[in-house]
CSV table of all heavy atoms in Angstrom, one decimal:
chain,number,residue,atom,x,y,z
A,64,ARG,N,-75.2,-32.8,-42.9
A,64,ARG,CA,-74.9,-33.4,-41.6
A,64,ARG,C,-73.5,-34.0,-41.6
A,64,ARG,O,-72.8,-33.9,-40.6
A,64,ARG,CB,-76.0,-34.4,-41.2
A,64,ARG,CG,-77.3,-33.8,-40.8
A,64,ARG,CD,-78.2,-34.8,-40.1
A,64,ARG,NE,-78.6,-35.8,-41.0
A,64,ARG,CZ,-79.7,-35.8,-41.8
A,64,ARG,NH1,-80.5,-34.7,-41.7
A,64,ARG,NH2,-80.0,-36.7,-42.6
A,65,ALA,N,-73.1,-34.7,-42.7
A,65,ALA,CA,-71.8,-35.3,-42.7
A,65,ALA,C,-70.7,-34.2,-42.6
A,65,ALA,O,-69.7,-34.4,-42.0
A,65,ALA,CB,-71.7,-36.1,-44.0
A,66,ASP,N,-70.9,-33.1,-43.4
A,66,ASP,CA,-70.0,-32.0,-43.3
A,66,ASP,C,-69.8,-31.4,-41.9
A,66,ASP,O,-68.7,-31.1,-41.5
A,66,ASP,CB,-70.3,-30.9,-44.3
A,66,ASP,CG,-70.1,-31.3,-45.8
A,66,ASP,OD1,-69.4,-32.3,-46.0
A,66,ASP,OD2,-70.5,-30.6,-46.7
A,67,VAL,N,-71.0,-31.2,-41.3
A,67,VAL,CA,-71.0,-30.7,-39.9
A,67,VAL,C,-70.2,-31.5,-39.0
A,67,VAL,O,-69.4,-31.1,-38.2
A,67,VAL,CB,-72.4,-30.5,-39.4
A,67,VAL,CG1,-72.4,-30.2,-37.9
A,67,VAL,CG2,-73.1,-29.4,-40.1
A,68,LYS,N,-70.4,-32.8,-39.1
A,68,LYS,CA,-69.6,-33.8,-38.2
A,68,LYS,C,-68.1,-33.7,-38.5
A,68,LYS,O,-67.3,-33.8,-37.6
A,68,LYS,CB,-70.1,-35.2,-38.4
A,68,LYS,CG,-71.5,-35.4,-37.8
A,68,LYS,CD,-71.9,-36.9,-38.0
A,68,LYS,CE,-73.3,-37.1,-37.3
A,68,LYS,NZ,-73.7,-38.5,-37.5
A,69,SER,N,-67.8,-33.5,-39.8
A,69,SER,CA,-66.4,-33.4,-40.2
A,69,SER,C,-65.8,-32.2,-39.7
A,69,SER,O,-64.6,-32.2,-39.2
A,69,SER,CB,-66.3,-33.4,-41.8
A,69,SER,OG,-66.7,-34.7,-42.3
A,70,TYR,N,-66.5,-31.1,-39.8
A,70,TYR,CA,-65.9,-29.8,-39.2
A,70,TYR,C,-65.8,-29.8,-37.7
A,70,TYR,O,-64.9,-29.3,-37.2
A,70,TYR,CB,-66.8,-28.6,-39.6
A,70,TYR,CG,-66.6,-28.2,-41.1
A,70,TYR,CD1,-67.7,-28.2,-42.0
A,70,TYR,CD2,-65.4,-27.7,-41.5
A,70,TYR,CE1,-67.5,-27.8,-43.3
A,70,TYR,CE2,-65.2,-27.3,-42.8
A,70,TYR,CZ,-66.2,-27.3,-43.7
A,70,TYR,OH,-66.0,-26.9,-45.0
A,71,THR,N,-66.7,-30.6,-37.1
A,71,THR,CA,-66.6,-30.7,-35.6
A,71,THR,C,-65.3,-31.5,-35.3
A,71,THR,O,-64.6,-31.1,-34.3
A,71,THR,CB,-67.8,-31.5,-35.1
A,71,THR,OG1,-69.0,-30.7,-35.3
A,71,THR,CG2,-67.7,-31.6,-33.6
A,72,ALA,N,-65.0,-32.6,-36.0
A,72,ALA,CA,-63.8,-33.4,-35.8
A,72,ALA,C,-62.6,-32.5,-36.1
A,72,ALA,O,-61.6,-32.6,-35.3
A,72,ALA,CB,-63.8,-34.6,-36.7
A,73,ILE,N,-62.6,-31.7,-37.1
A,73,ILE,CA,-61.5,-30.8,-37.4
A,73,ILE,C,-61.2,-29.8,-36.3
A,73,ILE,O,-60.1,-29.6,-35.9
A,73,ILE,CB,-61.7,-30.1,-38.8
A,73,ILE,CG1,-61.6,-31.2,-39.9
A,73,ILE,CG2,-60.7,-29.0,-39.0
A,73,ILE,CD1,-62.1,-30.7,-41.2
A,74,ALA,N,-62.3,-29.2,-35.8
A,74,ALA,CA,-62.2,-28.3,-34.7
A,74,ALA,C,-61.5,-28.9,-33.5
A,74,ALA,O,-60.7,-28.3,-32.9
A,74,ALA,CB,-63.6,-27.7,-34.4
A,75,ALA,N,-61.9,-30.1,-33.2
A,75,ALA,CA,-61.3,-30.9,-32.1
A,75,ALA,C,-59.8,-31.1,-32.4
A,75,ALA,O,-59.0,-31.0,-31.5
A,75,ALA,CB,-62.0,-32.2,-31.9
A,76,SER,N,-59.5,-31.5,-33.6
A,76,SER,CA,-58.1,-31.7,-34.0
A,76,SER,C,-57.2,-30.4,-33.8
A,76,SER,O,-56.1,-30.4,-33.3
A,76,SER,CB,-58.0,-32.2,-35.4
A,76,SER,OG,-56.7,-32.3,-35.8
A,77,LEU,N,-57.8,-29.3,-34.3
A,77,LEU,CA,-57.1,-28.0,-34.2
A,77,LEU,C,-56.9,-27.6,-32.8
A,77,LEU,O,-55.8,-27.1,-32.4
A,77,LEU,CB,-57.8,-27.0,-35.0
A,77,LEU,CG,-57.9,-27.1,-36.5
A,77,LEU,CD1,-58.8,-26.1,-37.1
A,77,LEU,CD2,-56.5,-27.0,-37.1
A,78,GLN,N,-57.9,-27.8,-31.9
A,78,GLN,CA,-57.8,-27.5,-30.5
A,78,GLN,C,-56.8,-28.3,-29.8
A,78,GLN,O,-56.0,-27.7,-29.0
A,78,GLN,CB,-59.2,-27.6,-29.9
A,78,GLN,CG,-59.2,-27.2,-28.4
A,78,GLN,CD,-58.9,-25.7,-28.2
A,78,GLN,OE1,-59.2,-24.9,-29.1
A,78,GLN,NE2,-58.2,-25.4,-27.1
A,162,ILE,N,-61.9,-30.6,-44.4
A,162,ILE,CA,-62.6,-31.8,-44.7
A,162,ILE,C,-62.1,-32.5,-45.9
A,162,ILE,O,-62.5,-33.7,-46.1
A,162,ILE,CB,-64.2,-31.5,-44.8
A,162,ILE,CG1,-64.4,-30.5,-46.0
A,162,ILE,CG2,-64.7,-31.0,-43.5
A,162,ILE,CD1,-65.9,-30.4,-46.2
Side-chain angles (χ1 to χ4, degrees):
R64 284 194 294 270
D66 284 348
V67 168
K68 289 182 179 179
S69 297
Y70 281 119
T71 300
I73 289 166
S76 174
L77 292 174
Q78 183 60 33
I162 59 173

